[in-house]
Amino acid sequence: MLDHLIKGATVVDGTGAPAFTADVGLRGGRIAAVGEVTEEARTSEDATGLVLTPGFVDPHTHYDAQLFWDPYATPSLNHGVTTVAAGNCGFTLAPLNPARPEDADYTRRMMAKVEGMSLVALEEGAPWSWHSFGEYLDALDGRTAVNVGFMVGHCALRRHVMGPDAVGGQPDEEQLARMAGLLHEAMDAGAWGLSTTQSSTHSDGDGQPVASRHARPAELLALSRAVGEHEGTQIEAIVAGCLDQFSDDEIDLLVEMSAVAGRPLNWNVLTVDAAVPERVPRQLSASERARKAGGRVVALTMPILTPMNMSLGTFCALNLIPGWGPVLALPVPERIARLKDPAVRSELLRRATSKEAGVFRRLADFGRYVIGDTYSEANRGLTGRVVRDIAGERGLDPFACLVEICANDRLRTVLWPMPRDNDPASWALRAETWQHEDVLLGGSDAGAHLDRMCGAPYTTRFIGDCLRGRKLVGLEQAVKMLTDDPARLFGLRERGQVREGWHADLVLLDPERIDAGQARLVHDLPGDSPRLDSRAIGIRAVWVNGAEAIRDDAVSGAVPGKVLRSGRDTRTVSTR
């Protein structure tokens, strides 16, 4: 007898093949039958007019901590994501050196700064009961509603071995060997591989460059070689040029890391903008060179424009513009005084529009910002208005107007920058870029930057756009890009397709309604901390390993997910 039968669904199986109508039977966590199914089932439902797809795979998240207080990885699971890759960008909660209990506090403060996680939630919501990476994985086993795999963060490896010297120091031969040994130990326990960052935007809780930014190429290559000694492993790496355009040295490094490991390396995020036509060819030249050198470098890119919530009062992307960080780090009264100084504003604008600002140049068109929540009588009625219009009424330049508004709220004003790359030419360039063999959809950062952005709904919003919006790709191809393509990159065993015998990770959706609701601020983290959330629209049900996890945008209470371990749950995707 089947556990559940989905009758008469339009099946889009993840391979890119044409959709077909079929019954799909589930048993024992797997897909037992696809076709005309007559076997009896304990439960069944009529799916006529609905589309059944494989569960979506998000290749870049930061759910490392959130899963302890939110086993459903919301809102990703609501939007059909059944498998997430975490432990990215060089940041993980393990391993922790048992001889230095203070390392846990350092890690929490780093994650709060660099990934925008709530420090209170990190302190109160996770048990911090582990030391080894294997103990960390064990702590999550059997308690998640999604499938999740973890990379090992380079920063954690460095901190474990070098202590405070990890920031600014270089490992000696013995320390590097210990670092590699820790990485081997983690991969033996099921880690998916190594993640690392050299990005100039990544600083720890003390404002110092994070540990992995101090690593030289020899260290990165030694750890990459270690990755290549384990089955089903990967590399994820961030360098400064990910934000705009790679330098020659960065391309050399990414190519060599992948080649010496014989494993795919993915990076994020490839920003596609027709106003900067040279960016995509430059970034993808790393992939072309890697193929020739025996490696594979894969770019992650988002198929939607993710709205970002900003403020002059709290850490956000504006802090990452060169020259802006020191001003925005000042105490609020002094910060306001500096921002009101025309000379300071002029210099900030100059830095924001300079070549060194890279992709952050997109944030410098302050006239296009929309005012969100306000907190003073002086700003009453401004919510939802465009800064350029307000500036025109007041006879001010847009940046001066924005500062005036924010100062009235003691810098608490919520700001929504409107993207400049929402034009037909940019969307046409995206559709072209998606066809490249080394471009993969993803980069949601779900679980991070919680009160500033909400990238998790990219799956439903993209499918809705493909069905009823721009229609840049067909439904079958869109589903493949969200399911089988990332599953194959990570070597996931028997996931990513609607196929008999494979794991029953499935999404049942209404093609007439599928979409994502507007992001809204909610206070549901430990310590009543805020985050942005988004309703899933048109998702009828989500199954993870055959168990219903979501029904009509509500969690079922079941936790059928698995911690996916390298080798056991992933196979090697070799580049050689």
Side-chain angles (χ1 to χ4, degrees):
M1 178 176 284
L2 297 171
D3 296 328
H4 187 67
L5 179 61
I6 305 164
K7 297 185 293 185
T10 299
V11 177
V12 179
D13 67 7
T15 67
F20 57 94
T21 301
D23 306 329
V24 176
L26 315 183
R27 182 170 49 232
R30 297 205 176 232
I31 299 168
V34 179
E36 186 176 344
V37 179
T38 57
E39 187 175 350
E40 290 188 6
R42 292 183 178 86
T43 58
S44 65
E45 64 186 291
D46 182 4
T48 303
L50 302 178
V51 171
L52 186 70
T53 76
F56 307 138
V57 179
D58 188 335
H60 189 100
T61 78
H62 290 277
Y63 279 124
D64 308 59
Q66 183 176 326
L67 285 168
F68 285 105
W69 63 78
D70 173 19
Y72 313 105
T74 61
S76 290
L77 180 62
N78 303 68
H79 292 272
V81 174
T82 57
T83 298
V84 301
N88 287 295
C89 300
F91 309 123
T92 48
L93 310 188
L96 295 172
N97 193 321
R100 286 194 306 274
E102 66 272 18
D103 282 5
D105 178 65
Y106 173 86
T107 300
R108 288 189 290 264
R109 291 187 299 108
M110 178 183 70
M111 298 299 273
K113 176 67 178 292
V114 78
E115 292 298 347
M117 298 178 183
S118 161
L119 182 57
V120 174
L122 287 166
E123 290 172 339
E124 298 182 2
W128 298 92
S129 56
W130 55 84
H131 292 115
S132 72
F133 202 86
E135 289 171 342
Y136 168 76
L137 297 181
D138 291 343
L140 282 169
D141 243 337
R143 59 173 298 158
T144 69
V146 294
N147 304 309
V148 56
F150 294 92
M151 311 292 281
V152 186
H154 188 180
C155 290
L157 298 175
R158 259 189 159 240
R159 180 80 185 188
H160 190 290
V161 171
M162 300 175 67
D165 290 343
V167 173
Q170 294 301 319
D172 59 28
E173 189 173 326
E174 186 268 338
Q175 287 174 320
L176 183 54
R178 283 168 56 201
M179 232 184 286
L182 276 175
L183 178 56
H184 282 301
E185 180 183 314
M187 290 184 290
D188 284 340
W192 281 15
L194 174 74
S195 74
T196 187
T197 179
Q198 301 262 298
S199 174
S200 56
T201 65
H202 288 157
S203 300
D204 65 14
D206 300 318
Q208 299 300 311
V210 296
S212 64
R213 285 177 60 184
H214 303 276
R216 294 172 180 165
E219 178 181 333
L220 291 161
L221 294 175
L223 296 177
S224 297
R225 288 189 188 93
V227 171
E229 295 178 29
H230 294 261
E231 185 180 1
T233 50
Q234 300 270 322
I235 300 173
E236 187 264 350
I238 308 294
V239 295
C242 291
L243 290 173
D244 189 15
Q245 295 179 51
F246 295 135
S247 68
D248 289 339
D249 287 345
E250 288 172 335
I251 291 176
D252 290 344
L253 177 62
L254 296 178
V255 168
E256 194 168 0
M257 286 174 67
S258 175
V260 300
R263 298 287 185 273
L265 178 153
N266 75 81
W267 65 272
N268 83 103
V269 60
L270 174 60
T271 301
V272 181
D273 185 349
V276 191
E278 66 273 16
R279 179 183 293 136
V280 170
R282 176 60 177 178
Q283 300 302 73
L284 294 185
S285 67
S287 300
E288 312 298 342
R289 285 181 52 185
R291 292 276 185 179
K292 294 176 182 176
R296 186 182 179 199
V297 172
V298 177
L300 304 189
T301 190
M302 287 288 275
I304 66 167
L305 298 179
T306 304
M308 298 186 71
N309 172 345
M310 294 188 183
S311 162
L312 294 177
T314 53
F315 190 89
C316 67
L318 293 171
N319 295 65
L320 304 178
I321 299 173
W324 281 57
V327 175
L328 296 184
L330 294 170
V332 168
E334 189 176 348
R335 197 181 319 172
I336 292 173
R338 295 277 287 161
L339 289 169
K340 283 187 172 182
D341 184 333
V344 172
R345 289 200 306 273
S346 177
E347 176 61 13
L348 291 177
L349 279 175
R350 185 191 71 78
R351 298 294 296 274
T353 55
S354 67
K355 181 174 175 55
E356 64 178 335
V359 73
F360 294 112
R361 289 193 298 270
R362 303 194 308 163
L363 302 177
D365 191 352
F366 293 102
R368 291 175 58 86
Y369 279 51
V370 172
I371 302 298
D373 295 344
T374 62
Y375 299 90
S376 65
E377 185 62 29
N379 287 339
R380 180 184 291 274
L382 295 185
T383 297
R385 296 199 61 194
V386 179
V387 169
R388 181 174 288 110
D389 296 340
I390 304 169
E393 294 169 3
R394 299 183 180 184
L396 298 171
D397 74 75
F399 189 32
C401 180
L402 182 144
V403 168
E404 180 179 274
I405 293 167
C406 294
N408 289 336
D409 286 334
R410 292 189 56 77
L411 304 186
R412 295 173 63 201
T413 318
V414 173
L415 305 170
W416 293 94
M418 293 297 102
R420 300 174 62 183
D421 51 354
N422 198 21
D423 58 297
S426 292
W427 283 106
L429 182 56
R430 288 187 184 98
E432 178 185 341
T433 304
W434 298 339
Q435 305 311 310
H436 192 283
E437 62 181 342
D438 290 320
V439 171
L440 186 74
L441 298 192
S444 74
D445 256 6
H449 313 295
L450 297 177
D451 63 343
R452 292 285 163 242
M453 59 178 279
C454 188
Y458 78 96
T459 51
T460 50
R461 188 165 287 139
F462 174 56
I463 290 181
D465 191 51
C466 290
L467 287 169
R468 302 183 308 278
R470 298 176 187 85
K471 301 181 180 179
L472 297 178
V473 298
L475 176 62
E476 291 87 350
Q477 183 62 21
V479 168
K480 180 177 183 290
M481 293 160 79
L482 296 174
T483 59
D484 198 50
D485 285 353
R488 299 289 70 75
L489 174 69
F490 291 120
L492 298 184
R493 295 182 185 271
E494 299 173 335
R495 298 185 193 274
Q497 297 179 20
V498 180
R499 184 169 171 180
E500 287 186 10
W502 283 37
H503 297 283
D505 298 338
L506 300 167
V507 177
L508 187 63
L509 61 89
D510 182 346
E512 301 297 322
R513 299 179 60 239
I514 185 72
D515 203 348
Q518 186 172 356
R520 57 192 177 90
L521 200 64
V522 298
H523 291 259
D524 64 354
L525 300 181
D528 200 36
S529 301
R531 66 167 177 152
L532 287 170
D533 193 15
S534 170
R535 286 186 56 241
I537 300 169
I539 294 285
R540 179 67 57 86
V542 179
W543 291 267
V544 179
N545 297 309
E548 184 178 294
I550 293 285
R551 173 68 62 171
D552 295 326
D553 204 33
V555 298
S556 68
V559 285
K562 295 181 179 178
V563 173
L564 302 180
R565 301 186 187 237
S566 59
R568 184 192 71 185
D569 300 301
T570 64
R571 60 170 53 88
T572 295
V573 179
S574 179
T575 64
R576 298 186 177 120

